[in-house]
Amino acid sequence: MFAPWQASAEEAVKPAETPASATPSTTPPWRIGFSPLGTPKHGQAFDHFDYVNPDAPKGGRLRMASPITFDSFNVTLAGVRGIVEPGLARVYQNLMTSAQDEPNTYYGELAEALRYPDDMSWVSFRLNPKARWQDGQPVTPEDVVWSFDTLKANNIQQERYYHDVIKAQVSGPNEVTFSFSSKGNRELPLIVGQLIVQPKHWWLAKGPDGKPRNIAATSLEPPLGSGPYRVKTFEAGRSITYERVKDWWGAALPTARGMYNFDEIRYDYYANATQLPELFKTGSFDFRSENSASAWVQQYNIPAVKDGRIVKQEFRRATSGIMQAFGFNLRRAKFQDERVRQAFNLAYDFETQNRTMSFGLLERVNTYFFGLDIASKGLPEGKELALLQDIKDKVPPAVFTTPYANPVNGSDEAVRANLRKAFALLKDAGWEIRDGKLTNVASGEVMKVELLLQGEGIVRTVLPYQQSLKRLGVELILRTVDDSQYQTRVLNRDFDMIIYLQSQSNSPGNELRDFWGSAAADRPTSRNELGVKDAGVDALIERVIYAKDRDEQVAVVKALDRVMLAHNYVVPMFYSSVDRTLRWDRFGQPAALPALGYMGGFPDIWWYDEAKAAKIGTVEKEPAK
C-alpha cells in the first residue's frame, strides 16, 4: 500500500514535463530516498523510522540553556550576517530530511519524491500536495525556486556551496527541477535536497510595521514556516520559546512519526557559560551537555545525581568527524613558514593537561576526520597511494614516507626534548631569542600572537599552552570577545589564531571547496578561516566531489586528510569520543537509539514522561534573570 506522500507506479511514469536531458524512454523513476554513494534502506513506502517510538506521547515542556545568543531570525543570512537562532531548524523544512541510522541518506520531507538521471546532470523534486505553510497556504514550486534564487543572491557562503547548481525552475504541476553545470557530481541532488524552503508570499508582503520585508536584512520578526514548531514568544538576546504546531500538515509523514513531541521548547541565553552547571543543578533548565571532562568528574557529585533525579548519560559520537585545534591565520607572514607552525605544535603539552585537568578522559586529535573510519592512518596504500602518486608533484614528500603523528609531551624530559626541536626549527626559519623574546632575525619582529576566543569559558583550557609558548619566547595574548564580535572578526580574517573547530560528515563533498579550497581562501565570509591555498589540496577536493563509489571516496578523503596534516596548518587539540549529558529525569527515549543520532537523537525523538516527572517531585525553577 502506498503512503499518501508516495506516487503510485502509474503516476511515477507520467511526469508533467520531461527535463531536457531525458527522453520519454529514459525518464528516470521517482524515488522516495537518496544516498549519493549507496542504496537507501527504504526503497518503498514505510511507516516510520526504525529508531523512533511511533506512539510517543505529545506534550510537556523542555527547557534548554546556551551561552551563545542570537540577533536574527533570517535563515537566509546564516553564517554571513547576524547570529541566527538555531532552533529555527524546527520552524522551516527542507525538501528532504536525513535518516539517523543510515550514513548520508535522505528521504522526502516537503518533497514526496525525487528523480535524477544516471549522469546526475539534474534532479527533479515533486512536492507533497499536502504541504502547507503555517498560515494555511500551500507550499509551491515557486516557493522553492524563489528560496534558491534569494539564498544564492544574498549568502555568499551558500552561493559557493550551490555553485554547480546553475538553475532552478518550475518543471510541472507541483514539480521543480535543478540543473547542474557538470555531470557526475553525485552529491548535488543531496545538497539541493537540503535547501531550506521559505514562503515567497510572506517575504514579498509587508510586515507588521507596514514596510516591505527585506530578505537581505537581519530581522527579529517571528518567521512563517512549514515545520512542526513556530516561535511563540522571545526576548531578544535572552530567551525564545517554540510551540508545537498542533495541526501541522506533516505529522503523519513517515519521516516525522514519533518525532517533535514536546509542546514547548524554550532556550535561555547566558553571557557567562561558567554559571550554567550551577543553574542546571538548581533546576533552571532540564538538559545539559557537559564539555568539560573535569566538570563531568567533579561538579556533579550531588544528591540529585546519586538518587537518580538527575541522569548522567554518555552517547557515542558517530555522526561527524572533528578537527579541534589552535588554528593559524595563514595569511599572516609569521605563520607562512611551516617550520614555525611545527614549532608551535611541539610546544603543546596535551598529555600533562589531559592528566592534570581532564582526568585522562580526552583524546588527542590526529586527523581532520577524528572519530570516522575515513580518517587517514599509517602509510598510504592501494587506491590512496595510487592517487597520491598521480599528484606527487603537488603534495609534501612526507605523505609517502612518514605517517602523521603529534609530538608527545607529558614529562619534563619529553617537554625539554620537544622544545629543543622547536628552537631548532625556529632558528632554521629565521627566528632567535633576543632579551627573552622570539625575534625575527631579518625584520626584528617580535613573535606576539593574539588568540581570539569566543567568551570566557575556554580561557582555562588555553592557559597551559600560553605558558608553554612563553618558554619559546612567544607572547600569546588571550583576547576574549562576545559572539557578535567574534563572528565579525573571523569573517573579516582579523585574527592571528583561533580555536578552529571544523566538523565533517561521513560522506564529505562539495563543502570542502569552501572549507579548504584556494578560491575560498581570500573570500570574506567563506569557511576557509585558515586561508589554506594549496594545489594538492584543491586537486584532492575535486576528486572527492566526483568520486564514483564509496571505495574511491574513502581513498581520496584519506589522501586529503594526510596532505592537510602534512602541511601543519593547525596545532591539533583534543576531543572526546562521547557526548556527556545530564538531564532531569522527566523524559522518555526510544528503546533503540539511532546509531548516527547526535546525543541519542535528543530532543527530536524523545518525549515528556509525566510519570517520571511526577516521581522525581522537583519543582521547576524559572531561569535566573
Side-chain angles (χ1 to χ4, degrees), residues 84-104:
V84 177
E85 213 297 303
L88 293 175
R90 300 184 184 95
V91 172
Y92 291 108
Q93 290 179 278
N94 309 92
L95 291 169
M96 307 186 78
T97 188
S98 62
Q100 297 183 40
D101 61 348
E102 300 177 74
N104 227 34

Side-chain angles (χ1 to χ4, degrees), residues 362-391:
L362 300 176
E363 300 173 60
R364 183 85 190 267
V365 174
N366 59 358
T367 165
Y368 283 84
F369 300 88
F370 181 79
L372 298 177
D373 59 5
I374 56 177
S376 62
K377 61 182 67 174
L379 289 173
E381 55 186 27
K383 289 183 178 179
E384 182 190 357
L385 177 60
L387 67 91
L388 283 170
Q389 288 174 334
D390 285 345
I391 57 170

Side-chain angles (χ1 to χ4, degrees), residues 291 317 320-324 350 361-365 370 501 573-580 598:
N291 295 323
R317 286 178 171 158
S320 61
I322 292 293
M323 169 55 83
Q324 178 169 277
F350 161 76
L361 295 178
L362 300 176
E363 300 173 60
R364 183 85 190 267
V365 174
F370 181 79
L501 183 62
M573 294 176 67
F574 50 78
Y575 214 61
S576 172
S577 59
V578 297
D579 288 302
R580 300 182 175 93
Y598 175 60

Side-chain angles (χ1 to χ4, degrees), residues 323-330 335 341 344-345 347-350 353 364-365 368 449 451-453 458-466 469 476 478 495-501 530 568-574:
M323 169 55 83
Q324 178 169 277
F326 295 103
F328 301 103
N329 186 349
L330 301 172
F335 294 135
R341 305 195 298 268
F344 272 64
N345 196 0
Y348 181 50
D349 187 357
F350 161 76
Q353 184 172 345
R364 183 85 190 267
V365 174
Y368 283 84
V449 178
L451 175 60
L452 186 65
L453 300 173
I458 194 70
V459 171
R460 176 177 175 270
T461 300
V462 301
L463 285 173
Y465 190 43
Q466 182 186 47
L469 288 176
L476 184 67
L478 308 183
F495 65 91
D496 290 333
M497 291 175 68
I498 56 173
I499 302 297
Y500 178 73
L501 183 62
L530 301 176
N568 293 282
Y569 293 135
V570 298
V571 176
M573 294 176 67
F574 50 78

Side-chain angles (χ1 to χ4, degrees), residues 282-310:
T282 66
S284 292
F285 57 98
D286 299 311
F287 184 96
R288 172 164 175 75
S289 176
E290 182 52 76
N291 295 323
S292 168
S294 60
W296 177 257
V297 173
Q298 294 181 304
Q299 290 194 20
Y300 299 100
N301 296 317
I302 58 175
V305 173
K306 294 176 181 178
D307 63 26
R309 286 177 293 148
I310 291 177

